[in-house]
Amino acid sequence: MKTRFHLQPRRLALALGCALGAWHLQAQADAPATTIPTVEITATAPRANGLLNLDTPSDTASRLGLSPRETPASVTVVDRALIEVRGAQDTQEILRAIPGVTAHDAPGSIGVSYRGFGSGSVSQLFNGINVQYSIAARPVDSWIVDRVEAIGGPSSFLFGSGAVGGSINYVTKLAVEREFSEGRLRLGTDALKEASVGLNRRVGDGHYARIDLNHRDGDSWVDGVERRATQLAVSLRSDFGRGVTHTLAYEFQQEDVDRPYWGTPYLNPVGGKLRIDEGTRFKNFNAADGVYDQRVQWLRSIGAWKVNDALQFTNTFYVYDALRDYRNVETYRFNPSNTAVNRSGVLLQRHDQTLVGDRIDGVYRGRIGERRSDWAFGVDFSINRQTRYPNSPVTTVATVDPYHFVTEHFFDLPNVRPGFRPDRDNEVKTTALYVENRTALLPTLNLVTALRHERIALDLVNRREVTATAPAKFSRSYNPTTGRLGLVWDVTPGMNLYAQYATAADPPSGVLSTASFGDVLTNNELTTGRQAEVGAKGDFWQGKGTATVAAYHITRKNIATPDPERGGVTFLVGEQSAQGVELSLGLQPTKRLALQGNVTWVDAEYEHYYQGGVSLAGKTPTNTPKTVTNLWLSYAFTPTVQAHVGARRVGKVYADAANTMYWPSYTFVDLGLRWQIDRRLALEARVRNLTDRLYAANVSSAMAYLGAPRTADVALRMAF
């Protein structure tokens, strides 16, 4: 039985909003045309620029419009040109450009590790909006992405709770004031077929409309997996004069995965260095008709008013709506003799989430006496609702031959019936006030500060049987205040030093939008995060080189720890720390040669933490590599032919909190070649994981979620 999505009233409201936007666009198109010159965009290859992007303002690092060079923090901006040079297929491949970040896209637990902390302590934002749910960060094709920005370490003072390890912001393309048309056709291994198009047009005096559309269809390197995905981004930018502009943006994402891959079981004995049988590398033990489906819609209304050169306001109204369905057998283990695989973990699940909010931002550029002093301030209000519908019969489904088997249809399993039964409703209301300032204490010394106060109200409604540990209703409120204090000293015009102290707050066991009664009945606080960081950023070699270095120490307290005496209940006694160093280097020795790389080292460990009544003090959190190294080289053999090489090494990771099982370090290499046929056509070829390295993108106590083997693709880019 294939899942079907149906429009509910609030989804109809979204569709109406999109229709109104389309009507406004058509009205502008019907207006008397004005002849304008067309700005021609060609398929010219992105310039291989090895220098780090230190001077582009980052909205993720500061609302003051500061560049990474001006910000007292480790900031990474991966712009559109870099995305294309690296050949990043989706948002997860873009993340490889951020020092120290690792990620995986397992269907039920999208994982990111940053500065020693996992997804629950890393904010993943969408155009500066936090949906407070890690699964929302499913990989999206890079075609609709304008850039990705990241700030390392605590940053709750910018975007709210949930950012101890850092914040990552995915920014979608919007309409711009020029005309162009572009497209891409791509074919690859595993029956990959992809088509993309982008159009930006003037539709009236002061109005520009843009559409970016991508559709991808293909199989997988794992048996039986089929995936279809569509992304659409539409926007209309209107300039009404006198400093007033408005952008209406709609985004749609649809992903359908048949028989999704959940992992590969380890060989016994399970302990020490983990192993899999290479004969099962491409096997899929899921149900024959397993499903992962998601449909996501965004609607944003962005109004801006530039009062004068010193003062401006922006209002962003946003609506997010997501529906995700799962129908799978998700857990597999070898029997003791490694002759058969036991399959379990039956889950029929639906996640239904809606987020509605409005944010008002202001920026004032002024002076305190003789010194420049810039201010950013604002208020953010949102309502985040999610209902989950889990159905998980406790049963071992079947034991199969690991090499020759046929799996059953999902609804032929015992005790499994079609239909979704709600578990609980989570509603999170957040009201936040923030202020940020940069003041020049001296001509070469700037003080950068920020403060944010939130009032968070969490309401849980039980949709099932009422018990002592699952009451009919329960409410909890939180009032975190977080901030940053930093200094930036411009030692020379091209070199600065900085120091900062920052705080953060995040939920003690995951995110509030999915928090259970056990998470909140006995826990009335958020965790607290503290970071001290020092670093330097600068240019050298007569502008042919750029580099950044950062050293930090982070502590997170009040982590939820399972109560050994009360099942399903947690209490706040845990503490985790991370200290590390990040180094990034960019070189442009000649116009033809570009070199960029980064290396990170982090020592992450539990200071206080218990599991099953056993102390885990001194242990490393799971899926947290101590070292991550990236290196990229680009060389233009001729003005029309460029070659690209990328290498990535990830250190070993532990699969359990007790650190008794680990996956070893691994290295893989990607190759790319681009031929500029003429001004409008370019041909690109990529080989990923050239050496066909077998590696795990994520590990658990039972299985390894393997990374893709060697794959290849070729793409034709067009400007028309």
Side-chain angles (χ1 to χ4, degrees):
M1 186 180 85
K2 184 69 176 174
T3 302
R4 294 288 183 267
F5 290 126
H6 301 282
L7 283 176
Q8 296 180 2
R10 63 175 180 273
R11 298 192 174 93
L12 180 59
L14 268 178
L16 289 174
C18 183
L20 288 172
W23 173 84
H24 180 50
L25 188 155
Q26 183 61 46
Q28 295 298 334
D30 292 340
T34 303
T35 302
I36 63 170
T38 298
V39 178
E40 192 174 84
I41 303 298
T42 69
T44 301
R47 184 169 62 92
N49 184 1
L51 301 180
L52 302 178
N53 196 340
L54 298 180
D55 296 308
T56 301
S58 169
D59 296 332
T60 306
S62 168
R63 298 195 192 277
L64 289 167
L66 303 182
S67 68
R69 193 188 300 273
E70 298 169 317
T71 306
S74 180
V75 180
T76 303
V77 178
V78 189
D79 61 17
R80 187 68 213 174
L82 191 59
I83 292 171
E84 294 188 3
V85 166
R86 301 273 171 85
Q89 299 182 95
D90 54 38
T91 47
Q92 284 217 334
E93 288 195 1
I94 296 173
L95 296 184
R96 295 176 185 172
I98 303 171
V101 169
T102 59
H104 70 88
D105 63 349
S109 58
I110 307 305
V112 171
S113 176
Y114 197 5
R115 289 199 167 182
F117 293 87
S119 297
S121 298
V122 177
S123 287
Q124 297 196 68
L125 314 165
F126 305 89
N127 300 295
I129 300 167
N130 190 351
V131 303
Q132 300 179 49
Y133 193 36
S134 63
I135 291 179
R138 283 287 301 171
V140 173
D141 193 278
S142 60
W143 182 260
I144 68 169
V145 178
D146 180 70
R147 65 190 185 279
V148 174
E149 303 178 345
I151 177 172
S155 45
S156 297
F157 53 85
L158 287 173
F159 302 104
S161 63
V164 172
S167 294
I168 299 169
N169 188 19
Y170 306 93
V171 182
T172 307
K173 294 175 178 176
L174 289 175
V176 293
E177 293 184 335
R178 65 178 186 271
E179 293 198 339
F180 61 85
S181 306
E182 57 184 349
R184 183 183 68 192
L185 296 174
R186 192 158 70 102
L187 299 174
T189 52
D190 302 318
L192 171 66
K193 300 177 290 293
E194 182 181 313
S196 307
V197 65
L199 302 172
N200 200 97
R201 289 288 184 271
R202 185 173 181 176
V203 292
D205 190 17
H207 304 278
Y208 286 83
R210 178 169 185 163
I211 179 171
D212 291 281
L213 175 64
N214 167 269
H215 179 75
R216 179 174 180 169
D217 196 344
D219 300 331
S220 169
W221 54 274
V222 180
D223 294 343
V225 179
E226 294 183 5
R227 179 177 181 266
R228 298 161 301 282
T230 301
Q231 290 87 32
L232 170 69
V234 182
S235 58
L236 174 67
R237 187 184 191 280
S238 302
D239 188 338
F240 298 106
R242 297 188 178 183
V244 177
T245 61
H246 179 265
T247 300
L248 180 67
Y250 172 76
E251 189 174 335
F252 173 84
Q253 301 168 20
Q254 177 83 41
E255 181 183 11
D256 299 296
V257 185
D258 295 337
R259 204 182 179 198
Y261 166 68
W262 288 85
T264 301
Y266 304 128
L267 285 171
N268 289 308
V270 178
K273 181 179 177 179
L274 297 168
R275 304 165 299 132
I276 70 159
D277 182 343
E278 291 204 30
T280 64
R281 181 181 185 184
F282 305 105
K283 298 299 183 182
N284 188 347
F285 297 96
N286 198 355
D289 58 346
V291 163
Y292 172 76
D293 287 342
Q294 78 163 7
R295 198 269 342 279
V296 174
Q297 297 183 88
W298 279 100
L299 184 65
R300 290 180 292 143
S301 171
I302 309 163
W305 178 29
K306 186 177 181 179
V307 182
N308 51 46
D309 290 340
L311 181 64
Q312 65 184 50
F313 294 97
T314 303
N315 185 86
T316 304
F317 171 76
Y318 52 91
V319 180
Y320 168 82
D321 183 83
L323 190 66
R324 298 179 175 89
D325 284 348
Y326 301 81
R327 189 177 71 214
N328 302 284
V329 178
E330 302 176 2
T331 305
Y332 327 117
R333 299 176 186 269
F334 267 104
N335 64 358
S337 61
N338 293 324
T339 57
V341 171
N342 301 320
R343 303 166 55 246
S344 60
V346 178
L347 183 63
L348 178 65
Q349 171 82 283
R350 168 169 284 183
H351 301 167
D352 189 356
Q353 183 181 10
T354 302
L355 171 67
V356 180
D358 191 82
R359 188 179 71 224
I360 302 173
D361 300 303
V363 175
Y364 176 71
R365 307 192 183 281
R367 308 185 74 84
I368 297 178
E370 297 297 321
R371 303 299 183 191
R372 178 176 174 177
S373 184
D374 298 336
W375 295 84
F377 49 89
V379 58
D380 192 355
F381 175 76
S382 65
I383 301 176
N384 194 337
R385 297 188 178 97
Q386 183 165 179
T387 302
R388 293 159 67 89
Y389 302 75
N391 181 11
S392 182
V394 180
T395 179
T396 296
V397 175
T399 299
V400 298
D401 182 307
Y403 315 109
H404 306 286
F405 60 90
V406 176
T407 58
E408 68 294 306
H409 288 81
F410 186 83
F411 290 111
D412 291 338
L413 294 169
N415 304 316
V416 176
R417 300 290 182 271
F420 296 99
R421 182 189 178 199
D423 180 22
R424 64 182 181 278
D425 302 328
N426 287 39
E427 181 180 88
V428 184
K429 293 182 180 178
T430 304
T431 303
L433 298 171
Y434 81 89
V435 63
E436 187 179 1
N437 174 258
R438 182 178 72 158
T439 298
L441 302 179
L442 297 170
T444 60
L445 183 64
N446 287 278
L447 175 66
V448 181
T449 57
L451 194 68
R452 180 185 179 100
H453 178 73
E454 296 179 271
R455 293 187 176 273
I456 304 171
L458 171 64
D459 294 304
L460 273 63
V461 176
N462 189 354
R463 303 283 294 276
R464 294 190 178 179
E465 294 77 11
V466 175
T467 66
T469 57
K473 295 181 180 181
F474 189 80
S475 298
R476 180 74 76 186
S477 61
Y478 309 91
N479 301 295
T481 299
T482 56
R484 171 170 68 189
L485 176 66
L487 285 170
V488 180
W489 176 30
D490 298 326
V491 182
T492 68
M495 175 71 69
N496 68 37
L497 304 175
Y498 71 87
Q500 63 124 310
Y501 177 78
T503 63
D506 65 0
S509 56
V511 290
L512 294 180
S513 63
T514 61
S516 67
F517 286 103
D519 292 332
V520 300
L521 282 174
T522 58
N523 301 331
N524 59 0
E525 299 178 62
L526 299 177
T527 70
T528 59
R530 302 284 187 270
Q531 174 182 263
E533 179 178 338
V534 295
K537 307 171 186 179
D539 310 325
F540 61 95
W541 196 11
Q542 298 176 332
K544 297 178 182 179
T546 51
T548 67
V549 61
Y552 60 86
H553 184 275
I554 306 173
T555 58
R556 179 183 179 224
K557 297 183 178 181
N558 292 340
I559 303 174
T561 301
D563 187 335
E565 298 181 357
R566 295 176 294 172
V569 177
T570 60
F571 59 106
L572 305 181
V573 298
E575 180 179 343
Q576 181 181 341
S577 69
Q579 56 186 346
V581 177
E582 297 171 351
L583 174 64
S584 297
L585 177 68
L587 298 174
Q588 188 75 47
T590 69
K591 291 183 178 180
R592 291 188 173 190
L593 178 62
L595 178 69
Q596 200 173 106
N598 54 64
V599 58
T600 61
W601 172 86
V602 60
D603 180 18
E605 64 179 26
Y606 293 113
E607 302 288 344
H608 304 290
Y609 195 72
Y610 288 85
Q611 189 177 74
V614 177
S615 172
L616 299 179
K619 303 298 184 180
T620 300
T622 60
N623 289 291
T624 304
K626 189 177 288 289
T627 59
V628 178
T629 304
N630 296 290
L631 180 65
W632 300 275
L633 175 69
S634 296
Y635 184 76
F637 293 100
T638 71
T640 60
V641 178
Q642 291 183 2
H644 309 283
V645 180
R648 179 174 174 85
R649 181 172 178 80
V650 179
K652 78 173 184 180
V653 295
Y654 291 105
D656 63 330
N659 294 176
T660 62
M661 303 181 289
Y662 72 90
W663 190 273
S665 60
Y666 61 88
T667 302
F668 61 79
V669 177
D670 298 336
L671 295 181
L673 185 67
R674 176 174 176 131
W675 173 33
Q676 193 70 43
I677 301 172
D678 59 30
R679 294 175 61 251
R680 294 180 177 273
L681 291 176
L683 193 64
E684 298 173 333
R686 301 273 174 180
V687 179
R688 307 168 200 275
N689 192 3
L690 177 67
T691 61
D692 199 27
R693 179 64 186 265
L694 192 158
Y695 69 95
N698 183 69
V699 289
S700 67
S701 60
M703 304 182 299
Y705 185 79
L706 300 179
R710 179 172 50 242
T711 59
D713 61 83
V714 61
L716 179 66
R717 296 186 62 93
M718 300 157 283
F720 51 91

